[in-house]
Amino acid sequence: MSVTERPLQTPCEWCGRAVAQPPTGRLLRYCDRSCRQRAYEARTAKRRLQDDVDTGRVRAQPAERIVERVVRAKYPSTAAGWEKALDELRAQLADGRIGPWNAPRIDRAIAAVDEQLQAIETAAVPRPRPSRETFAVDQPPAAAAVPFAGERLAVIEARIAAAGGTLSTTLEHLAGDVGIGVDELRQAMLEFERLGFLAARRRGTVVPVDELAVHSRFELCSI
C-alpha cells in the first residue's frame, strides 16, 4: 500500500494569505500575479542595485548637498524709521563699533543723501500747514469739538503741554481724549509725523507711529 500526501492549502510566500492548491500539477507559491511580481522584484532588487553601482549608474556615496543663502537687508520705509537708523549709526560711530577708517565712505553716502534732500526741497511745492489753534493748558477743548486735523493737532499739543512737554499715553487713551477712533487717530498722527509736527518715542528711541500697538505705552512730544 502506498500513501501520498498533497497539501490542499498553503500560505502565499509574499502576503501570507491562503492559496488553494490544485489536485494535480505544480504547487502554487503565490495567490496572484501581483504577489509573484513583488516577490520577484524583492529577490532581484539587491542584485540590480549592485549592478547599477558597479556600472556607475548609482553612486555609492551621494553627492554633497550645497545650499546658497542670500541675505537681503531690510531698509526702513518711513521717515521715523530712517531717523532711528541714523541715530543708531551715530551711536555706533560714537562707541567705536564702526571704525574711523569707514568715515570717508559714510561721509560720501550722507553727502549724496543731503544732495537729494536739497533737490527734493527745491522741487517740492509748499504744502499748507494745518492751523494750530491755541488753547489754555488747563482748559483743553472738548473732544466733541475736534472734527478737523488742525484742531486735533491742537488738542494733542495741549495734552503734551499739560504733561510738561512729553505725554506718556497709549493710542487707545489718546483716541478717547481726542474723541475719535483709534484707526482715525493713527492716520492723523501719521500725517503729523510726516509733516514733522509730532514724534513718538519709547525709552528715548523714536518709534514710527504705524508700529505702535493699540495698548502699548509711548511718549509723545512736539517737534
Side-chain angles (χ1 to χ4, degrees):
M1 178 184 296
S2 64
V3 178
T4 59
E5 293 183 357
R6 182 179 179 85
L8 301 178
Q9 177 179 291
T10 58
C12 174
E13 294 184 8
W14 177 255
C15 68
R17 288 181 295 184
V19 179
Q21 297 295 340
T24 59
R26 180 185 299 180
L27 295 178
L28 302 177
R29 299 173 58 187
Y30 307 101
C31 59
D32 55 24
R33 290 184 178 180
S34 176
C35 287
R36 181 188 299 113
Q37 180 64 28
R38 292 179 181 179
Y40 169 78
E41 292 174 354
R43 288 196 308 272
T44 60
K46 185 175 181 180
R47 176 177 55 80
R48 287 185 284 110
L49 175 61
Q50 188 60 48
D51 291 343
D52 288 343
V53 171
D54 294 341
T55 57
R57 287 194 296 269
V58 175
R59 298 185 56 171
Q61 295 294 331
E64 181 180 0
R65 185 170 182 261
I66 300 175
V67 178
E68 179 183 17
R69 176 175 295 177
V70 179
V71 179
R72 294 182 175 85
K74 183 179 180 181
Y75 302 108
S77 58
T78 63
W82 279 111
E83 182 181 1
K84 183 178 179 180
L86 290 173
D87 187 63
E88 176 62 23
L89 173 62
R90 178 201 58 76
Q92 292 190 23
L93 288 169
D95 60 21
R97 282 179 287 170
I98 297 179
W101 54 87
N102 292 309
R105 183 177 180 181
I106 296 175
D107 186 63
R108 288 193 298 271
I110 293 178
V113 173
D114 185 62
E115 181 180 354
Q116 184 62 42
L117 287 173
Q118 292 181 9
I120 292 175
E121 291 176 357
T122 302
V125 177
R127 295 175 60 89
R129 187 181 181 90
S131 61
R132 295 184 180 220
E133 298 183 18
T134 304
F135 298 92
V137 172
D138 56 346
Q139 293 181 348
V146 190
F148 303 108
E151 295 175 344
R152 289 170 183 163
L153 178 61
V155 172
I156 295 174
E157 288 187 325
R159 294 287 189 270
I160 295 173
T166 300
L167 175 63
S168 178
T169 184
T170 65
L171 288 177
E172 183 181 42
H173 188 271
L174 187 59
D177 288 344
V178 179
I180 57 178
V182 173
D183 292 338
E184 189 176 359
L185 172 67
R186 189 191 297 274
Q187 292 300 319
M189 289 182 61
L190 283 171
E191 181 66 14
F192 299 153
E193 178 187 61
R194 187 185 66 80
L195 294 174
F197 295 160
L198 301 173
R201 299 178 183 271
R202 186 181 293 126
R203 293 187 292 274
T205 303
V206 175
V207 181
V209 173
D210 55 0
E211 295 182 7
L212 294 174
V214 175
H215 304 290
S216 177
R217 184 162 292 276
F218 61 93
E219 292 77 39
L220 188 64
C221 59
S222 298
I223 300 178

